Amino acid sequence: MNAWLSFPSYTETINHELAIRRFCPARIEQEQGGGGGGEWEDLMNKIEQPSMAASSEEDDLVDSFINMDGYENYYDDKDDNHDDNINQAGGESQLGFEHDNNFRGGGEEEEEEEEEAIGMNYGDGGGGGGGGVDGGLQLVHSLLACAEAVGCRDIRLADSMLGRLWRSANCYGDSLQRVSYWFTMGLKSRLSNIQSLNPKGVFNQGGMSVSSEKMEAFHLLHQATPYIAFGFMAANDAIVRAGKGKGNGNDSIHIIDLGMEHCLQWPPLIRTLAQQPEGPPKKVRITGLVKSGVSGLEPAMKELAEYAAAMGVPLELNIVPEPELDPASAPGFPTSLDVREGEALFVNSIMHLHRYVKESRGSLTAVLRAVKNLQPTLVTVVEKDANHNGPFFLGRFLESLHYYSAIFDSLEACLPRNSLQRMKIERGYFGEEIRNIVAYEGSERMERHERGEQWRRQLRRAGFQAVGMKTMSQARMMLSVYGCDGYSLGSEKGCLLLGWKGKPVMMASAWQLPGPSSSSSS
């Protein structure tokens, strides 16, 4: 489907030195809490007024991208208004990529050549954006000024700012240069979409798809950082704990995995079930709801079945096409899910529910209603704890820049700059997410991450109540395995949070329908 662009038609030349002042915390709060287009137009008309924020606010905001340490005490000082604590550094550049998105994995020879190129090029940090705090400050200034120009459809100024960014951002440089590279790529794509608008104001389809490169990057991310394993561990633990409360421990369990793209989550669960003192369940069924275009699951499912057999756990695996639920009259999931009486039913969503979040939220409401109709024992939800679904492009750009800066900073601390593994993670996974958030609107913008408070509100509205996560000690043990200081754990209203130097990155939660035996924590 085509997607509508809906941003101001403001074309006046913008002073880039004032761009950051528009994004002081008070301005972000005003923008996100504003009601309609009139306030936004008033804001745009005031862009040239230097009194929007003091220069100290501007310097503090830019400094938040350079200095991560200010967020290390986040979980100690955090209150319910943690959405205001947005953070900091990251970056990338274009050497060897020629400013396009056509990254293809090659054979071993290509990988060796690429690794050599990385080793030769990463050291100097590229152009003027590197080389210390001053270069970093200028890079952030340029990014925000370019985002402002693109958001206002000032094509001439945006082209000029992109040229400046290409001289500074560097995908082989430090974390700030590297993340800046991918945001620059996103701005370039958005500008291209603007320039290709037809007379009706729409541009051609260009959303995300599941590629072999993205799945390889996902596997590498799972190996190199705790972000993915954290969600798996928290969800699996909640499933095991809830399953123990259903009868004598030997009942059948059935897990419906929303948006299943891999089987990485399930071997640890199989092992845990096999090692229970009372023995494994008499049957474990996993049904994956799969989007069209997902391939390569069969070999992984075969390996999982063989592993379960070796562990003495009777496992049944099935794949069902994920339906397009009608927000107006969705009856629920298809009968091919084969929900059986007497089994403990679990619905599992690992970074998938946000794909149903649209401007109207009708799709998410339909999915949650369908999940509720299944009467599950427990629903596990793992999502990125970030606000990337704001109604205004410029505020969304800054929120996502803070968020991914923290992630790229964590990669900088854990992987060397010339790591081919790191390059694949950044370009195949996070780079694609950034591009989708920055470049697209409407149905093509799939990465609509939201804060934990918003997820709690939506799930409660759908009739669920939170079940406290009891995996803090296991999570601490898991983090110790990665041998990298900087990861932080916290909890909020029953949800478990994983962050980098206090900046929230991932959120894990469990939900159940109210009943006589429910033990909620909210």
Side-chain angles (χ1 to χ4, degrees), residues 428-439:
Y429 189 75
F430 293 122
E432 281 299 298
E433 284 191 346
I434 291 168
R435 178 173 174 266
N436 187 261
I437 292 168
V438 173

Side-chain angles (χ1 to χ4, degrees), residues 109-158:
E109 293 182 1
E110 292 182 17
E111 291 188 359
E112 290 176 1
E113 292 175 1
E114 185 175 7
E115 205 158 23
E116 290 175 3
I118 295 172
M120 290 187 293
N121 289 322
Y122 82 91
D124 62 2
V133 174
D134 289 342
L137 291 173
Q138 184 58 46
L139 182 54
V140 175
H141 272 277
S142 298
L143 264 177
L144 298 183
C146 187
E148 178 124 36
V150 171
C152 298
R153 299 203 292 186
D154 189 333
I155 294 174
R156 181 184 63 80
L157 180 58

Side-chain angles (χ1 to χ4, degrees), residues 105-419:
E108 292 183 3
E109 293 182 1
E110 292 182 17
E111 291 188 359
E112 290 176 1
E113 292 175 1
E114 185 175 7
E115 205 158 23
E116 290 175 3
I118 295 172
M120 290 187 293
N121 289 322
Y122 82 91
D124 62 2
V133 174
D134 289 342
L137 291 173
Q138 184 58 46
L139 182 54
V140 175
H141 272 277
S142 298
L143 264 177
L144 298 183
C146 187
E148 178 124 36
V150 171
C152 298
R153 299 203 292 186
D154 189 333
I155 294 174
R156 181 184 63 80
L157 180 58
D159 276 332
S160 173
M161 296 307 302
L162 280 172
R164 179 181 299 184
L165 284 168
W166 288 132
R167 294 192 297 271
S168 303
N170 180 357
C171 63
Y172 302 127
D174 61 31
S175 62
L176 180 58
Q177 292 173 306
R178 293 164 89 110
V179 78
S180 297
Y181 172 79
W182 294 109
F183 275 90
T184 303
M185 292 292 285
L187 288 171
K188 178 190 174 186
S189 296
R190 188 177 183 94
L191 188 62
S192 298
N193 288 336
I194 293 171
Q195 292 173 313
S196 65
L197 289 175
N198 65 24
K200 293 184 178 181
V202 297
F203 56 87
N204 293 329
Q205 181 174 345
M208 300 184 70
S209 61
V210 180
S211 64
S212 58
E213 183 181 16
K214 181 182 178 183
M215 288 311 303
E216 180 188 11
F218 183 87
H219 281 70
L220 293 173
L221 180 66
H222 176 244
Q223 296 169 8
T225 75
Y227 296 128
I228 306 300
F230 164 81
F232 292 166
M233 178 212 66
N236 287 347
D237 184 78
I239 290 171
V240 171
R241 289 177 184 272
K244 286 183 177 179
K246 308 300 287 185
N248 59 11
N250 292 318
D251 294 338
S252 298
I253 68 172
H254 183 190
I255 302 170
I256 297 174
D257 191 10
L258 301 182
M260 186 176 183
E261 296 178 351
H262 53 79
C263 294
L264 294 175
Q265 179 177 353
W266 306 124
L269 177 66
I270 296 297
R271 183 171 60 252
T272 300
L273 293 175
Q275 295 173 350
Q276 291 183 124
E278 65 272 22
K282 62 183 180 184
K283 174 166 281 191
V284 177
R285 300 171 58 215
I286 299 176
T287 301
L289 285 179
V290 179
K291 281 283 189 184
S292 60
V294 175
S295 60
L297 268 176
E298 288 78 7
M301 293 174 66
K302 181 180 179 182
E303 290 182 9
L304 181 61
E306 292 173 351
Y307 178 75
M311 297 296 292
V313 177
L315 177 66
E316 178 184 321
L317 292 166
N318 297 288
I319 291 179
V320 175
E322 188 169 14
E324 295 290 339
L325 299 178
D326 181 4
S329 59
F333 291 117
T335 56
S336 53
L337 290 177
D338 191 21
V339 176
R340 302 171 188 172
E341 187 177 353
E343 63 183 5
L345 179 65
F346 301 90
V347 177
N348 180 70
S349 174
I350 305 294
M351 294 183 292
H352 187 69
L353 274 184
H354 72 267
R355 300 270 179 124
Y356 293 105
V357 178
K358 308 296 181 183
E359 285 83 354
S360 66
R361 300 190 181 276
S363 297
L364 177 62
T365 300
V367 169
L368 294 179
R369 183 169 62 242
V371 170
K372 181 181 179 181
N373 290 341
L374 294 174
Q375 294 293 299
T377 300
L378 195 75
V379 178
T380 51
V381 176
V382 176
E383 287 287 346
K384 293 180 171 67
D385 190 11
N387 181 15
H388 299 157
N389 194 37
F392 303 112
F393 166 68
L394 296 174
R396 189 169 73 241
F397 181 90
L398 184 64
E399 287 274 1
S400 56
L401 181 58
H402 275 106
Y403 178 83
Y404 286 101
S405 292
I407 291 179
F408 275 66
D409 188 68
S410 72
L411 295 176
E412 174 89 353
C414 302
L415 294 169
R417 292 185 185 178
N418 63 343
S419 165

Side-chain angles (χ1 to χ4, degrees), residues 95-115:
L95 295 179
F97 290 95
E98 301 180 349
H99 313 321
D100 67 43
N101 297 287
N102 298 317
F103 303 117
R104 303 292 183 198
E108 292 183 3
E109 293 182 1
E110 292 182 17
E111 291 188 359
E112 290 176 1
E113 292 175 1
E114 185 175 7
E115 205 158 23

Side-chain angles (χ1 to χ4, degrees), residues 7 24 45 56 64 163 181 257 280 332 351 374 412 417 439 453 461 472 493 501 515:
F7 34 70
C24 65
N45 292 332
S56 60
S64 72
Y181 172 79
D257 191 10
M351 294 183 292
L374 294 174
E412 174 89 353
R417 292 185 185 178
E453 183 58 42
R461 190 175 297 164
M472 184 67 78
K493 297 182 179 179
K501 294 183 178 179

